[in-house]
Amino acid sequence: MELSFAPMEGVTYASFRRTHARLFGGADKYYAPFIAPNGDGSYKTGNRRDVLPENNKGIKLIPQILCNAAEPFLLVAKELEAMGYDEVNLNAGCPSGTVLAKFKGSGMLRDLESLERTLDIIYSRCPIKVSVKTRMGVHSTEEFPAIMDVYRKFPLTLLTVHARDRDGMYKSSPDLESFGKALEGCPFPVEYNGNVFSSEDVEKICSHFPTVDKLMIGRGVIADPSLLRRIKGGAALSVDELRNFHDELLEEYLASGLDPHHAIPRMKELWSYFRFKFPGEDKNMKAIFKSKNMPDYNAAVSTLFSSGNFDADGEFSW
Ligand SMILES: Cc1cc2nc3c(=O)[nH]c(=O)nc-3n(C[C@H](O)[C@H](O)[C@H](O)COP(=O)(O)O)c2cc1C
């Protein structure tokens, strides 16, 4: 089973990926959160720093582009090629309202003729391999066969299918049946994505689809950073491991120049996933979310970790 760590804007940046890879491993590759170029191919310096090879030593990284026009996509892809990358991923899945309105991300699925024209230019001119991460539709997964008809015309390196429509955001049940249909006679490799939070979920996907040998996992690995290792037969998460991961990550954030006012919200975002491992700890969890400075934050975190209420199997739920 090939396991990839999903891109998550605001979470899985280089510091996170490095710390995760060093302490847990298990990911065959990581996808970087999207780069959203302007029409002239320029994009945020922070995104460039995030994908620079020197910031991603020892991990296999696939950069991702969120863009509905071929020219800026190709300009960024060329730059990525110069950095040494041999693959780039196109985001056809972001469900955000503003992104959708601009016909980007999942909004690319609103106009399949335009999607086809864009892919036609990208696949004829991109100097490196192009994989796609897609939703199964905008308003309904019933749109998926028509979307697949477009993708089938191009030599996708890999199609990652987030098995929901855009309107399902991150909440609706993945549509396994329609995902299965997409696999029939598919000319390129397909990777499943959506709501894999445990080894049991992996077994469910594998028993439904014996030919699926690629999974992308996001929120499940944030909630349990050992999940990929665990799926591969490794040990479950221990409370000491989670504490160490938390501490090293916070140290990385601060060392990379992030000030406490920005580092604390990043850590709080992680706690919205870690909290499922601490049953009955609502009061201590509240203290973490309420903290506004480093001493209060650190004190709340220490109290929680010393509570003794840790459940390695506490499962993320949305
Ligand atoms: C906070 C957050 C940020 C995300 N950022 C991205 C992104 O930058 N690019 C992308 O393709 N998907 C993004 N996603 C979607 C995830 O990659 C993934 O497809 C989704 O969470 C479903 O997988 P999961 O159930 O394993 O989490 C994001 C999801 C979340 C919750």
Side-chain angles (χ1 to χ4, degrees):
M1 180 67 71
E2 196 180 295
L3 299 176
S4 67
F5 202 140
M8 290 180 67
E9 190 205 7
V11 185
T12 62
Y13 293 116
S15 305
F16 185 99
R17 297 191 296 264
R18 281 196 307 266
T19 310
H20 180 266
R22 190 173 69 248
L23 298 182
F24 294 99
D28 295 297
K29 57 186 168 179
Y30 292 78
Y31 285 81
F34 63 76
I35 293 171
N38 301 311
D40 63 358
S42 62
Y43 58 94
K44 288 183 189 161
T45 317
N47 284 126
R48 182 170 294 106
R49 234 188 349 255
D50 185 52
V51 297
L52 278 175
E54 61 255 43
N55 294 328
N56 292 284
K57 281 187 189 144
I59 67 171
K60 181 167 170 55
L61 183 70
I62 314 288
Q64 185 189 64
I65 301 177
L66 175 90
C67 170
N68 63 0
E71 293 308 327
F73 183 98
L74 292 167
L75 287 166
V76 179
K78 259 189 194 162
E79 205 184 321
L80 294 170
E81 182 194 28
M83 287 182 198
Y85 288 102
D86 69 354
E87 181 182 336
V88 63
N89 184 260
L90 171 70
N91 181 324
C94 180
S96 134
T98 45
V99 169
L100 181 83
K102 292 182 199 159
F103 290 83
K104 296 179 182 177
S106 62
M108 292 185 88
L109 310 177
R110 292 172 64 192
D111 180 349
L112 297 185
E113 282 178 17
S114 169
L115 175 70
E116 183 170 339
R117 279 195 302 275
T118 305
L119 292 178
D120 201 21
I121 304 171
I122 287 176
Y123 277 97
S124 57
R125 290 180 35 209
C126 190
I128 53 178
K129 292 181 279 186
V130 182
S131 53
V132 175
K133 180 165 180 274
T134 191
R135 292 266 177 162
M136 290 173 48
V138 180
H139 303 304
S140 163
T141 51
E142 286 179 13
E143 298 162 35
F144 200 42
I147 295 167
M148 279 305 292
D149 283 345
V150 175
Y151 290 143
R152 278 176 212 274
K153 294 181 181 168
F154 302 97
L156 275 64
T157 292
L158 174 70
L159 178 67
T160 303
V161 182
H162 182 179
R164 317 182 142 90
D165 56 44
R166 177 270 164 189
D167 290 348
M169 302 300 278
Y170 296 106
K171 278 191 176 165
S172 61
S173 292
D175 181 351
L176 297 185
E177 200 185 318
S178 303
F179 172 80
K181 282 190 197 145
L183 288 180
E184 286 165 17
C186 193
F188 38 71
V190 171
E191 178 174 65
Y192 174 86
N193 171 237
N195 283 24
V196 174
F197 301 133
S198 64
S199 299
E200 290 72 40
D201 291 336
V202 176
E203 279 161 27
K204 190 174 90 184
I205 300 294
C206 291
S207 65
H208 259 83
F209 311 111
T211 56
V212 169
D213 61 355
K214 293 175 186 27
L215 289 180
M216 172 188 275
I217 310 180
R219 293 167 297 173
V221 202
I222 313 285
D224 178 350
S226 76
L227 182 60
L228 301 174
R229 176 184 80 192
R230 212 170 165 176
I231 292 169
K232 289 182 172 174
L237 183 71
S238 74
V239 68
D240 291 342
E241 250 188 329
L242 186 62
R243 170 96 226 212
N244 189 37
F245 178 62
H246 169 279
D247 292 355
E248 292 210 13
L249 191 57
L250 179 56
E251 212 174 291
E252 272 254 6
Y253 284 154
L254 297 172
S256 70
L258 212 61
D259 65 59
H261 287 295
H262 290 98
I264 292 172
R266 280 230 189 152
M267 298 311 291
K268 285 183 185 173
E269 167 117 29
L270 295 181
W271 279 108
S272 62
Y273 295 88
F274 294 163
R275 69 193 169 95
F276 298 97
K277 300 283 179 208
F278 296 89
E281 284 300 319
D282 296 356
K283 195 166 152 239
N284 283 328
M285 206 58 75
K286 244 185 205 159
I288 292 178
F289 285 110
K290 270 175 66 181
S291 65
K292 291 201 164 55
N293 55 49
M294 218 29 112
D296 286 356
Y297 174 78
N298 282 331
V301 167
S302 290
T303 308
L304 180 77
F305 273 116
S306 55
S307 70
N309 284 332
F310 175 79
D311 175 9
D313 293 319
E315 210 175 287
F316 174 83
S317 70
W318 188 249

